[in-house]
Amino acid sequence: MIATLPEGETFTTSANVALIAQLRDTLSEIDGVESVASVVPELNPLTDQPLTPQAITGTPDEVIAEALNQNRVADLLVPRMVNTHCSS
């Protein structure tokens, strides 16, 4: 599955990373889905607390961008996206 954003938007804002977490959680709730790989982990690696979309939304964009810069998987977040629908 590929998640995209409108042109000009990036995944380096807390609001857009929260959308990834929301998608991760939504997919995890589907019957038959055993696991979901995501650039956003289920647990905060520093606190071991759930990393929810709400927690991410409250995080400053600068902190999100820095965390993504340290995550090799984040390189998969293509900066030029054209729409907000998901396709598989």
Side-chain angles (χ1 to χ4, degrees):
M1 173 175 284
I2 299 172
T4 62
L5 293 170
E7 187 172 343
E9 293 277 332
T10 70
F11 283 108
T12 59
T13 66
S14 58
N16 289 339
V17 173
L19 289 173
I20 296 172
Q22 183 177 9
L23 179 59
R24 175 203 66 205
D25 295 347
T26 300
L27 292 172
S28 295
E29 294 173 2
I30 296 173
D31 286 338
V33 172
E34 293 185 25
S35 67
V36 175
S38 174
V39 69
V40 180
E42 291 183 21
L43 297 177
N44 182 323
L46 301 176
T47 65
D48 284 331
Q49 297 297 311
L51 196 49
T52 65
Q54 296 80 12
I56 295 167
T57 301
T59 304
D61 290 348
E62 296 80 18
V63 173
I64 295 292
E66 181 62 30
L68 290 172
N69 284 335
Q70 296 175 15
N71 185 333
R72 299 179 116 203
V73 177
D75 291 340
L76 299 173
L77 299 177
V78 180
R80 295 186 314 143
M81 301 294 182
V82 292
N83 57 41
T84 57
H85 76 279
C86 295
S87 60
S88 56

